[in-house]
Amino acid sequence: MFSIIQGIVQVLFDGVAFGMLLFVMSVGLSITLGMMRFANLAHGVFAMLGGYVTATLMYRGGWPFLVTLPIAFGLVAVVSVALERFVYRRVYAAKELDQVLLTVGIIYMSIAAAAYVWGPEPMTFTLPDYLTVYRRIGWFSFSTYGALLLAFGTVITLAIFYGLERTRFGAMIRAAVDDRRVALGMGINVNRVFTITFAIGSGLAGLGGALGINALGLDPSFPIEYLVFFLIVVSIGGGGTVKGALAASLLLGLSDTAGKYYVPQTGAFIIYVVMLLVMLWRPNGLFGRS
Amino acid sequence: MTAETQAANAAAVADFRARARWQWYEPIFWLGAIAWYFLFPTYLPLGTQVLCSALFALSLDLILGYGGIVSLGHTTFFGIGAYTAGLLAKYGWGEPITCLLAGGVTAAIAGWICSFVIVRVQGVALLLVTLGINLVLYEIANKAYTITGGADGLQGIVFWKVFGVFDYDIEGRVAYIYTLAVVFLLFLVARRIVYSPFGLALKGMRENWKRMPALGAALRHHGALIFVLSAAIAGLAGALLAESVQFVALDSLGVQRSVDVLTMLIVGGTGVLYGSFVGATVYMVVRDQLADLNPAYWYFWIGLMLVVVVLFTRNGVVGALSDAAAWFQRRGRAQS
């Protein structure tokens, strides 16, 4: 009996931690899709880049893990702005298919580039000692790394909700997501709002990639491997809703963790079936507007 | 029937005839495919793979280029066709023509089942549903290794002689000719489909999804029908490849192949029939050459190719060629 409860608590803890990580990585994509109707399949590239920045700084520069995180965020944000300005901006008006293909092309290029710079093998990565310890509360033990993911996820989630709901810039973002044309008519510089939002979203993906190296692994095929996860989060949540993205991330994190814990032989089968069923039930996502 | 409607019907029939007329470049194209056999005898296996990929891309073109249905998981049907033919051969029935047809039929049945879902979703949801079906099937094939061989692929399959006479040879001559013949026949079928009134309705569906029902077109019915036809051709392509390489790899169901075939079609050009052949040839030859040159990083150039095609051409290589032809024509007219 104890072991069953222990297992449930373990799955809940790990699942929520994983879900938070997914949320941090994919919330930017959800906003991008909602605001510009732009299907950026290459979103995972930003997460991968963040991971590599952190790994490189730690191994080549000997920097402490926590210090590398803001740098991963900032660097990825800067790179994403360049990409948005020079490439993405040209296809906002294009058909969905063109956007898909362009971003798939960018995925391919970044996979090859990452393999060239960092080598095709998975990055071996060791967390600092204080994150590999297990703590006990009663008869339940948890990793400090999982606690760190949870803490980061919670803080970032609160910051996003505060920023969106309570600040002037957040109101501008919501206006642009709701109706781009009316927002333009109100004198909101939607392009500028979008660039900044895109930078923040991509930066968060980079931060998530850096935070999650230990949980997700890091090798050049990262953007393809986790593409399905991002797509599931965005489509189940519904594009443009932060709440939806959060709910979908937690659902995905929990069901994936529970699946791996209780029925490991089915692999990723469960989450794919769940995704298909949700898509059939509500094509616009659980929280999406039609 | 009044004289007026008779005249209108005659005009419509004449219009369809004119559209379906063979263009001057079409025989050249097929003669080129025959010439490959004599010019590059050492590249026949590559040629066979190009033909299978082209047929696969053609099947995608039917739903994407003509029907406007974007699929990120079309290899579902390619893989089903390949595994059907492979499993038949492995368990005792290796007659190529019937295995081929069986591959097409099972893929068509799978396509028919999927079509109920496909016609109900659009946009990103459609991408996800097609991708999801593909992923689920891949997982099934991966886990059911006692039947499919799992990640090792389906090994030890032997196909009998084509027509009971021509044995598959090591240089791949029989495979090439057999594949070319089948691909040509199926090309004729696809050509017949897109130049028929049904094909015109599909184009209408692609161009304006909302206006077609107002004209009385049964969109869901059309969408489902072309999806089944496309799935059947994809299955035949998969079965053809399985027969020519005598092996079915797990990645014939992999999402990578879905994306690859989409890439081929886009590089070639959508909605123009030959786009899939041009795209498959460019893609496979470029990949073959790049992989020799630099095995680790060739994906960079494929990606660059995609980005350039999307940003700078209107409709792939075929689109760029026809744009160039139109430009020369205009210039010629301006000078005279």
Side-chain angles (χ1 to χ4, degrees), chain A residues 103 146 154 156:
Chain A
T103 49
T154 314
I156 289 168

Side-chain angles (χ1 to χ4, degrees), chain A residues 96-121:
Chain A
E96 213 154 56
L97 178 65
D98 282 346
Q99 299 176 347
V100 165
L101 291 161
L102 178 84
T103 49
V104 165
I106 288 173
I107 290 182
Y108 282 171
M109 288 168 76
S110 63
I111 286 177
Y116 182 77
V117 178
W118 289 286
E121 304 84 22

Side-chain angles (χ1 to χ4, degrees), chain A residues 90-91 96-98 100-102 104-105 108-109 112 115-116 228 231 235 265-266 268-269 272 275-276 279-280 283, chain B residues 64 70 117 123-125 127-129 132 135-136 139-140 143 256 259-260 266 297 299-300 303-304 306-307 310:
Chain A
R90 307 175 57 149
V91 293
E96 213 154 56
L97 178 65
D98 282 346
V100 165
L101 291 161
L102 178 84
V104 165
Y108 282 171
M109 288 168 76
Y116 182 77
V228 185
L231 282 176
S235 53
Q265 63 276 12
T266 55
F269 192 73
Y272 299 151
M275 172 190 89
L276 271 181
M279 292 321 290
L280 294 181
Chain B
L64 194 153
V70 186
V117 179
V124 179
L127 292 181
L128 223 80
V129 167
L135 286 168
V136 166
E139 284 295 322
I140 293 176
K143 297 289 175 194
Q256 185 70 54
V259 177
D260 282 347
I266 296 308
Y297 311 119
Y299 256 103
F300 184 87
L304 190 64
L306 263 177
V307 171
V310 171

Side-chain angles (χ1 to χ4, degrees), chain A residues 47-53 55 121-124 209 213 216-220 222:
Chain A
M48 173 177 75
L49 186 61
Y52 275 123
V53 167
E121 304 84 22
M123 203 84 178
T124 46
I213 307 178
L216 309 172
L218 183 63
D219 65 80
F222 185 95

Side-chain angles (χ1 to χ4, degrees), chain B residues 31 42 52 115 258:
Chain B
L31 287 175
T42 50
C52 292
S115 70
S258 291

Side-chain angles (χ1 to χ4, degrees), chain B residues 118-149:
Chain B
I118 301 295
V119 296
R120 278 172 175 75
V121 286
Q122 285 97 38
V124 179
L126 179 61
L127 292 181
L128 223 80
V129 167
T130 49
L131 180 69
I133 294 171
N134 194 167
L135 286 168
V136 166
L137 214 73
Y138 179 87
E139 284 295 322
I140 293 176
N142 189 18
K143 297 289 175 194
Y145 47 82
T146 45
I147 305 169
T148 61

